[in-house]
Amino acid sequence: MSQFFVIHPENPQARLIAHSVDILRKGGVIAYPTDSAYALGCMMGDKRGIDTIRRIRQIDEKHNLTLVCRDLSDLASYANVDNVAYRLIKNNTPGPYTFILQATREVPRRLLHPKRRTIGLRVLGNPIASAILAALGEPMLSTSLIMPNEDEPLSDPDEIRERLEHELDLVIDGGFCGVEESTIVSLLDGAPEILRVGTGDPSPFR
């Protein structure tokens, strides 16, 4: 049965952030707020956690997973970007955007698209997510918390706990954070390509 933490959306309690990170480091899967919607997260090298996320979402290895980062300092370690792509990312993060990039060898193979070897990368601005990432000291694997055959992410932490309490190790109640996914932008082929319009304004990439 999952634990349930109520964390202040603007001033996260350090004690609860530390407990959340401890759960992640022990192989836990969490539901947490982002700057677009609630998401699932685990340590990026944790096979059990990745398998749990894929099972909950009912997605296969062709579905791009996302590395959520605390800032751009992680970018060069996990993705290959040219100067144009870097400027676009820098000018629009943190925020509700997911960028599809060519992954480096630092990214575990099980996280990659099997044919294109790509990875989604995101820099979050949500204070709770940012605090978790800062305490964790490395990116977290993540994907939007959309249940199979549903169109929108779950937005009510109590409903998340009710529906997934036997699948998750922790549900974080960080208040309402939206019901729309991030905007996805591919930066693979020189010119930006908008793959999905979500919360983030797509105009900077057109």
Side-chain angles (χ1 to χ4, degrees), residues 160-204:
I160 295 171
R161 176 169 61 171
E162 180 179 338
R163 296 179 66 175
L164 295 172
E165 64 178 349
H166 298 295
E167 299 273 5
L168 300 176
D169 299 279
L170 169 66
V171 176
I172 294 176
D173 181 348
F176 179 76
C177 64
V179 293
E180 202 171 5
E181 296 178 88
S182 62
T183 293
I184 298 179
V185 181
S186 171
L187 296 175
L188 293 174
D189 301 314
E193 179 184 1
I194 299 167
L195 303 182
R196 180 182 73 201
V197 176
T199 305
D201 180 5
S203 60

Side-chain angles (χ1 to χ4, degrees), residues 4-60:
F4 189 81
F5 294 168
V6 179
I7 299 183
H8 195 282
E10 295 179 2
N11 299 293
Q13 304 94 312
R15 176 180 59 84
L16 294 179
I17 293 297
H19 284 328
S20 301
V21 168
D22 188 52
I23 288 170
L24 284 166
R25 286 181 174 150
K26 289 178 178 177
V29 176
I30 70 172
Y32 71 101
T34 74
D35 36 24
S36 56
Y38 274 84
L40 299 171
C42 70
M43 298 289 288
M44 65 177 176
D46 187 344
K47 183 181 184 302
R48 187 191 74 84
I50 296 166
D51 289 344
T52 297
I53 287 174
R54 290 193 189 279
R55 184 175 66 251
I56 292 171
R57 287 286 317 273
Q58 292 186 18
I59 53 177
D60 61 22

Side-chain angles (χ1 to χ4, degrees), residues 92-109:
N92 293 281
T93 56
Y97 298 98
T98 299
F99 299 99
I100 305 300
L101 301 162
Q102 203 71 43
T104 68
R105 293 183 179 180
E106 296 297 316
V107 180
R109 290 185 62 183

Side-chain angles (χ1 to χ4, degrees), residues 49-158:
I50 296 166
D51 289 344
T52 297
I53 287 174
R54 290 193 189 279
R55 184 175 66 251
I56 292 171
R57 287 286 317 273
Q58 292 186 18
I59 53 177
D60 61 22
E61 70 278 1
K62 295 179 181 178
H63 185 98
N64 261 312
L65 298 172
T66 298
L67 291 181
V68 291
C69 306
R70 54 181 170 169
D71 55 40
L72 289 182
S73 64
D74 291 321
L75 184 61
S77 296
Y78 300 104
N80 295 309
V81 292
D82 59 22
N83 290 336
V84 173
Y86 180 83
R87 284 195 296 271
L88 282 170
I89 296 171
K90 182 178 180 181
N91 291 339
N92 293 281
T93 56
Y97 298 98
T98 299
F99 299 99
I100 305 300
L101 301 162
Q102 203 71 43
T104 68
R105 293 183 179 180
E106 296 297 316
V107 180
R109 290 185 62 183
R110 68 175 65 95
L111 306 187
L112 302 176
H113 187 286
K115 293 184 178 179
R116 302 197 70 181
R117 296 189 62 80
T118 56
I119 191 72
L121 188 140
R122 190 171 173 191
V123 179
L124 295 176
N126 179 279
I128 294 173
S130 296
I132 289 173
L133 290 166
L136 192 61
E138 63 179 273
M140 181 169 58
L141 179 75
S142 186
T143 186
S144 300
L145 209 179
I146 302 177
M147 298 301 288
N149 303 314
E150 297 184 12
D151 296 324
E152 293 182 344
L154 297 181
S155 59
D156 182 346
D158 289 314

